[in-house]
Amino acid sequence: MLIALVAAYILFNIGFSFYISQKNKNAVDYVFAGSKLPFWVSSFAFFATWFGSEMIIGSASEFLNKGFKALVKDPFGASICIFLIGAVFSKHFYKMPYLSFASFFKSKYGSKVGFYASFCIILGYVGWLAALDIAFAVILKTLVNLPLEVGMIIGAIIFLLYVWWGGLLAISILDMSQTIIIILGLLAVAVPIISAAGGLGNIIQQTPPEFFNIMPEPDFMSIATFISALITVGIGSLPQQDLYQRVKACKTAKVAKYSGIFSAFIYIVISLIPAFIILGIKVSQPELISELTDGQMVLPKIVMHNGNVLVQFLFFGAILSAIMSTASVCILAPATVFAENFVRPALIYLGHKKKVRDIDRTNSIKQAAIAISLISIVVAFINGNIYHLATEAATITLVTLVVPFLFGIFAKKINSMAAQVAIFSGLSVWLGFIIFKVNFPCQLAGFLVSLLGYLLTDGIVYSFFSKSSRGQR
């Protein structure tokens, strides 16, 4: 019965996406939902985009071992990012005329930086999508004991079909119903478990106080680790295509601003529910947790052990809703960047200008989506940790694009050479710290060196040309 309900739910989503495909007349409709979404649809779309499997499954397993400190990246960092997009950056995004956010870097810094930015943006999404492939496979393994490898492939096919027809319009409309399912599903699991554990008061009393402590210890390394975790998603995800698309999909800039702010608060509140489910089980059924060797299977196994068919359907429906919402955007966003910043320029360069018409732009995005899906499967097979794949996806843009992005938005004068130095210096330091296992947060090191590289290069170039101009006089 449960399996039939879940299958019917997936087929409904794919069928609705096919129905909406008839309303997509051009690339703007496909990528930006026609830029006509109202406040409530936009708010739920912001929330559902990021509230994926890494929050319900991945973060829950990390929380089990590390307490609230495991939630610094997500949900706390993620909520900060969504809030900043709404409150600060939405007005800038909404004015941009580009289909791909990487085109912003090209227009500001030139074609080289635009090329590097496109590559970094796409690379980040591949890891995130791989995490969602694994999460979907975990659900299938729980329901029908299907091997994870087979589940990943099935998930990738479903995600691709989901986004292929409907684009962002279908995704956004379904996000409203999916957000309701997510909330109902989590509450259906949380209420009986928390009640069985004696209520929230008893759970808090039975849990060591340090488990709730999110702040770092008062030493240099702990503070650096905390800052690194907070900014990895908190500002590392700012220059991302999916958030740009969500802003551009809104009916007005004002709608984009307030839907971003509102969804940030929804995200932080709803994201804490899986954490308290875990705490409730630790208090009421500690033996159930001790029997599990894979932390990512904790919540699915708890639901299968404790819930009736309705609760199980609501929970797995919630996870599937979260996964499908996020995965669809994780395919559409990098596919748009690839098609617009790699395929389209190549066609123009080769003299095929007729093939860059609007209908061909949409088709090239769809074809790029196939390639992105295939690459994500390979990454998922290599690295099977949901939480690490999802959160590290933001690291790539943190150490490469955040600094050029911020200067491109706020600085009166910008420097292409400084942007290139920022990208490559941040990336090199980040990779170097990982390879040589340096005892310092590699994300923070990469970001700081990227910032320093930009500032130094900008200062040196400005000084050089200033002296040259004085010499000519």
Side-chain angles (χ1 to χ4, degrees), residues 80-118:
I80 289 172
C81 182
I82 300 173
F83 179 83
L84 289 174
I85 287 293
V88 180
F89 295 102
S90 59
K91 62 182 179 182
H92 300 285
F93 283 9
Y94 203 80
K95 296 175 183 177
M96 294 180 186
Y98 324 114
L99 205 63
S100 162
F101 186 64
S103 298
F104 162 78
F105 292 93
K106 182 179 179 180
S107 68
K108 288 286 183 179
Y109 297 106
S111 57
K112 282 186 178 180
V113 175
F115 176 84
Y116 303 145
S118 302

Side-chain angles (χ1 to χ4, degrees), residues 268-324:
I268 194 71
V269 172
I270 302 302
S271 295
L272 291 177
I273 296 178
F276 280 97
I277 293 174
I278 291 289
L279 285 181
I281 289 294
K282 281 190 73 173
V283 172
S284 61
Q285 302 176 65
E287 70 284 351
L288 185 61
I289 291 179
S290 62
E291 292 173 359
L292 294 173
T293 56
D294 185 357
Q296 295 178 146
M297 296 295 293
V298 170
L299 276 180
K301 288 294 184 183
I302 286 171
V303 173
M304 293 300 289
H305 185 270
N306 290 272
N308 55 39
V309 173
L310 178 59
V311 170
Q312 290 171 0
F313 171 68
L314 286 173
F315 175 76
F316 288 111
I319 294 183
L320 287 172
S321 296
I323 292 172
M324 293 180 72

Side-chain angles (χ1 to χ4, degrees), residues 405-416:
F405 162 69
L406 293 175
F407 276 93
I409 291 289
F410 297 114
K412 292 182 179 180
K413 293 182 179 180
I414 55 175
N415 189 316
S416 178

